[in-house]
Amino acid sequence: MVSRRAMRAPEMLRWLAAAAALVALLAAAPAAGFYLPGVAPTDFGKGDSLPVKVNKLTSVKTQLPYAYYSLPFCKPETIVDSAENLGEVLRGDRIENSPYVFQMREPKMCQIVCKLTVGEKEAKELKEKIEDEYRVNMILDNLPLVVSVLRQDKNIAYQGGYHVGVKGQYTGSKEEKYFIHNHLSFLVKYHKDDDSELSRIVGFEVKPYSIKHQLDDKWDGVNTRLSTCDPHANKLVTSSDSPQEVEAGKEIIFTYDVHFEESDIKWASRWDTYLLMTDDQIHWFSIVNSLMIVLFLSGMVAMIMLRTLYRDISRYNQLETQEEAQEETGWKLVHGDVFRPPTNSDLLCVYVGTGVQFFGMLLVTMIFAVLGFLSPSNRGGLMTAMLLVWVLMGLLAGYASSRLYKMFKGSEWKRITMRTAFLFPGIAFVIFFILNALIWGEKSSGAVPFTTMFALVLLWFGISVPLVFVGSYLGFKKPALEPPVKTNKIPRQIPEQAWYMNPIFTILIGGILPFGAVFIELFFILTSIWLHQFYYIFGFLFLVFVILIITCAEITVVLCYFQLCSEDYMWWWRSYLTSGSSALYLFLYAAFYFFTKLQITKLVSGILYFGYMLLASLAFFVLTGTIGFCACFWFTRLIYSSVKID
């Protein structure tokens, strides 16, 4: 399997060309579009060939995808890999052709695919996959295969893919056996054009069965007559009363049926079935409720801040006598130290630049997702777009870090640029490389091939790093930002602070509100990633993103104001850590989600989960910290430029 997964150099070049084309397309595409060009409807006439493609095997218990043909399933004469974009490869998708071929609107009954004899190794692999509840994923006309399930409220829900098999017991026996689903009853739903005989596929469902097939006569390939499944004798598979057991040395005959059903669902609405797999009412109500609470708190904070600040500034500007000036207290007292460069100012510049890069990436990606360009039908499109936009946003990262660095009187702009270009991407690449090595050790299709890794490094060094240097050069050429007040040569002594103004306490308190703005949405995002469900409510996600920005900014400004009023002028790093501490709560919530919602038992799978969530938490820390810092930076410049300093 390694040789087939290894990708050739021309494919890598095609990715890079496709990447450039996608960026140009996203920039030029009109806002009215809801599907990327290329994801267009296909019309099928009666009898037209409908090739079924197979995708990875997935399990929520292991989170390790495997290629379809890693198990002893029937294979076509030649296995052909479908062209995959960068996002699909990183997701572990392995889309290949299959021996299942339908003819449009021509039902088939009891079609034999092949007969296989299971060896010791194959039987062991099948039992392991059945034990871990692996599901088989297939695709027809870009629609994933689903299994319909009747819920307790009598409504029908859909689950992606069907189980490889089931574990059970024979009647009267306590010994557990493993049974494979070797008969598939497919249902293809189509929408027929009123003016022609052409049809479009709008649904792809399956009912899997385990059946121990019996031969009517000797084996004659796909033309063999079966006594257990014979449409001529009106014997069809409708149950798994005599299931096919998985045992070494036993033969398994794979069969399938195909049914066609006309549907009123139009092609443009065919994904609605997949996007409504879960109950949305709780989702929508919770998000709206969360947004209302956060908006109310934000309004209260803004009102208090505006009234208090207005009173402070009016009082400071009305001081006339020397006696009044000597009795002055509050944030005006530290005006000579408030813009003193902090310790480790270089690192702060790097973090702020990286945070600006994240902010730009999320903003642009979410805008295009809201407009419908990154719908689930464009498989892997979201991840591809995020990677490409991240690379292009290196320009903003270099610009922001160098502007701040120059304000701190820094002169070695190339050094700060290198750190901006390599610090966070380097950490991410090391974590990703270690996790990828673990996946490779498990022989999973989720392991990123070497050529894909090389393409990622090429995007990093060939596009991102040069853009960071360009942005840094442009930012350093600009005149330095001048503080509104002069900085004293001798630092002022900071008085002893009250217990509630302790840096650790205020930082931990400051992260609660931003986390509260996103934690409900975070539940659904984690569910979509780790329980393999579709995430599609990008409109609400964008709204939550806006609320996150507001809450990060306001809670940081409020705590910064209290800090300055306590005559503590070391606000630079604290402002970054105040809102950035929400990442700690995000990671703790991810751990809570792991132990309460997931059924992961393998050590490697647990390492993968916490490794990726650590990376996500680091990214969230950089993003929220930068938002809080920028808000606080704007706030301090605003208030100190508003008072008269003698």
Side-chain angles (χ1 to χ4, degrees):
M1 292 305 298
V2 175
S3 60
R4 262 191 308 112
R5 287 214 318 262
M7 307 219 169
R8 300 177 295 277
E11 284 190 63
M12 184 185 68
L13 295 175
R14 284 203 300 271
W15 290 342
L16 294 176
L22 179 63
V23 172
L25 176 70
L26 292 178
F34 285 94
Y35 288 96
L36 282 172
V39 189
T42 305
D43 294 310
F44 298 96
K46 193 174 188 299
D48 284 355
S49 177
L50 302 176
V52 177
K53 295 181 180 180
V54 292
N55 200 352
K56 60 188 175 183
L57 308 171
T58 56
S59 167
V60 296
K61 292 184 74 172
T62 69
Q63 302 297 332
L64 293 169
Y66 286 89
Y68 176 82
Y69 293 114
S70 63
L71 289 183
F73 290 133
C74 300
K75 300 178 181 179
E77 292 181 6
T78 306
I79 297 175
V80 181
D81 291 328
S82 296
E84 295 165 339
N85 60 43
L86 193 58
E88 284 178 303
V89 176
L90 293 176
R91 280 167 24 118
D93 286 346
R94 297 295 181 265
I95 302 172
E96 298 159 316
N97 61 328
S98 77
Y100 300 97
V101 180
F102 310 157
Q103 273 69 45
M104 187 66 179
R105 288 158 53 197
E106 292 185 1
K108 292 181 180 180
M109 300 295 171
C110 301
Q111 295 292 302
I112 296 175
V113 189
C114 73
K115 181 179 72 168
L116 295 175
T117 302
V118 179
E120 195 76 44
K121 184 181 177 183
E122 288 89 350
K124 183 184 176 185
E125 288 178 345
L126 276 171
K127 288 178 181 179
E128 285 177 354
K129 297 297 184 289
I130 293 171
E131 180 74 39
D132 291 330
E133 299 179 9
Y134 269 85
R135 305 181 78 93
V136 179
N137 295 284
M138 296 184 177
I139 300 169
L140 177 65
D141 190 35
N142 202 39
L143 271 184
L145 181 70
V146 293
V147 176
S148 59
V149 180
L150 190 65
R151 297 193 305 194
Q152 292 181 345
D153 57 4
K154 305 300 181 183
N155 290 324
I156 293 177
Y158 292 94
Q159 296 177 342
Y162 67 91
H163 283 112
V164 172
V166 293
K167 191 167 66 169
Q169 303 162 337
Y170 287 113
T171 306
S173 171
K174 292 185 178 180
E175 186 183 0
E176 286 197 322
K177 298 285 187 179
Y178 295 88
F179 305 100
I180 187 173
H181 286 137
N182 61 325
H183 180 84
L184 303 175
S185 182
F186 293 104
L187 173 63
V188 178
K189 295 182 179 181
Y190 65 92
H191 183 79
K192 192 169 176 292
D193 186 37
D194 296 332
D195 302 325
S196 67
E197 286 296 307
L198 297 176
S199 305
R200 292 176 178 175
I201 295 172
V202 295
F204 186 33
E205 300 177 18
V206 70
K207 286 183 180 178
Y209 298 97
S210 181
I211 179 80
K212 188 173 183 180
H213 283 302
Q214 303 292 335
L215 301 180
D216 237 2
D217 203 353
K218 63 179 181 180
W219 176 256
D220 186 25
V222 294
N223 298 316
T224 306
R225 291 278 294 269
L226 302 173
S227 59
T228 47
C229 187
D230 187 356
H232 303 289
N234 203 22
K235 287 184 178 178
L236 301 176
V237 178
T238 56
S239 67
S240 298
D241 292 336
S242 55
Q244 175 65 57
E245 189 179 332
V246 177
E247 280 297 332
K250 287 194 175 183
E251 292 181 339
I252 301 176
I253 298 174
F254 290 87
T255 56
Y256 70 98
D257 303 332
V258 187
H259 305 276
F260 289 88
E261 180 184 291
E262 189 169 358
S263 173
D264 294 330
I265 299 171
K266 293 187 178 180
W267 186 88
S269 306
R270 66 178 188 163
W271 273 88
D272 292 356
T273 302
Y274 298 85
L275 302 181
L276 296 175
M277 285 184 176
T278 53
D279 188 1
D280 292 328
Q281 290 185 358
I282 299 173
H283 186 178
W284 291 77
F285 175 76
S286 300
I287 293 174
V288 171
N289 187 47
S290 173
L291 293 178
M292 290 300 105
I293 293 171
V294 173
L295 282 171
F296 174 74
L297 289 173
S298 300
M300 291 289 290
V301 167
M303 185 178 70
I304 293 167
M305 288 301 301
L306 287 173
R307 291 187 64 180
T308 309
L309 268 177
Y310 180 76
R311 189 178 66 243
D312 283 350
I313 292 170
S314 299
R315 182 166 57 87
Y316 290 149
N317 289 338
Q318 288 172 2
L319 290 176
E320 293 178 357
T321 65
Q322 187 69 23
E323 291 77 12
E324 287 177 319
Q326 288 174 354
E327 293 174 5
E328 180 185 321
T329 58
W331 51 265
K332 188 181 177 184
L333 276 178
V334 294
H335 66 82
D337 298 276
V338 75
F339 291 104
R340 187 181 304 282
T343 54
N344 295 320
S345 58
D346 290 10
L347 190 60
L348 181 64
C349 297
V350 171
Y351 272 119
V352 170
T354 307
V356 170
Q357 189 175 8
F358 264 114
F359 183 82
M361 178 200 72
L362 288 173
L363 185 64
V364 172
T365 306
M366 253 188 273
I367 287 172
F368 282 112
V370 168
L371 294 176
F373 289 108
L374 303 175
S375 69
S377 61
N378 182 28
R379 193 174 290 101
L382 182 63
M383 188 172 289
T384 306
M386 287 179 73
L387 277 171
L388 295 177
V389 177
W390 161 266
V391 166
L392 295 176
M393 288 297 160
L395 191 72
L396 296 182
Y399 183 84
S401 61
S402 65
R403 289 282 282 161
L404 192 59
Y405 181 67
K406 191 171 183 180
M407 194 192 78
F408 290 148
K409 310 299 181 188
S411 56
E412 299 178 11
W413 70 274
K414 291 180 182 177
R415 186 164 64 94
I416 206 75
T417 306
M418 290 290 286
R419 293 177 70 178
T420 305
F422 288 101
L423 183 64
F424 186 87
I427 293 171
F429 188 80
V430 168
I431 294 174
F432 179 70
F433 188 83
I434 294 171
L435 296 179
N436 194 60
L438 291 173
I439 300 172
W440 194 275
E442 295 290 319
K443 299 178 181 177
S444 166
S445 67
V448 176
F450 173 76
T451 46
T452 309
M453 196 76 80
F454 181 72
L456 291 173
V457 173
L458 201 62
L459 284 171
W460 179 14
F461 282 85
I463 301 176
S464 181
V465 173
L467 284 176
V468 173
F469 267 91
V470 171
S472 190
Y473 175 74
L474 294 174
F476 207 75
K477 278 186 69 177
K478 291 267 188 179
L481 290 168
E482 293 296 331
V485 290
K486 291 181 180 180
T487 302
N488 297 334
K489 291 182 179 180
I490 301 173
R492 178 189 175 91
Q493 187 175 358
I494 300 173
E496 188 177 346
Q497 301 292 301
W499 66 269
Y500 52 83
M501 290 307 297
N502 183 280
I504 296 175
F505 181 77
T506 55
I507 287 169
L508 291 176
I509 289 294
I512 294 175
L513 193 59
F515 173 74
V518 300
F519 90 96
I520 293 177
E521 194 66 20
L522 181 65
F523 170 82
F524 294 99
I525 293 173
L526 291 178
T527 301
S528 69
I529 294 172
W530 300 107
L531 296 182
H532 305 148
Q533 296 181 8
F534 291 105
Y535 186 87
Y536 64 99
I537 312 180
F538 292 109
F540 264 105
L541 183 63
F542 185 75
L543 206 57
V544 169
F545 182 60
V546 172
I547 294 298
L548 176 67
I549 295 169
I550 295 170
T551 49
C552 283
E554 290 190 343
I555 194 66
T556 309
V557 165
V558 168
L559 291 176
C560 180
Y561 172 74
F562 291 150
Q563 181 186 348
L564 294 175
C565 286
S566 300
E567 299 177 28
D568 182 356
Y569 53 83
M570 301 179 72
W571 62 273
W572 299 94
W573 272 109
R574 202 191 289 195
S575 66
Y576 198 98
L577 296 172
T578 295
S579 52
S581 65
S582 56
L584 173 64
Y585 298 104
L586 187 149
F587 188 77
L588 292 174
Y589 180 78
F592 171 78
Y593 184 87
F594 177 85
F595 290 111
T596 58
K597 300 296 180 182
L598 300 182
Q599 299 174 331
I600 291 175
T601 52
K602 284 192 175 183
L603 177 63
V604 171
S605 304
I607 294 172
L608 286 179
Y609 177 85
F610 283 103
Y612 282 126
M613 291 315 301
L614 175 64
L615 198 55
S617 300
L618 283 173
F620 195 70
F621 166 73
V622 172
L623 172 70
T624 52
T626 300
I627 294 170
F629 171 82
C630 291
C632 208
F633 181 64
W634 167 82
F635 171 73
T636 50
R637 289 181 63 87
L638 180 69
I639 62 172
Y640 283 100
S641 61
S642 301
V643 294
K644 293 182 287 187
I645 307 292
D646 296 328

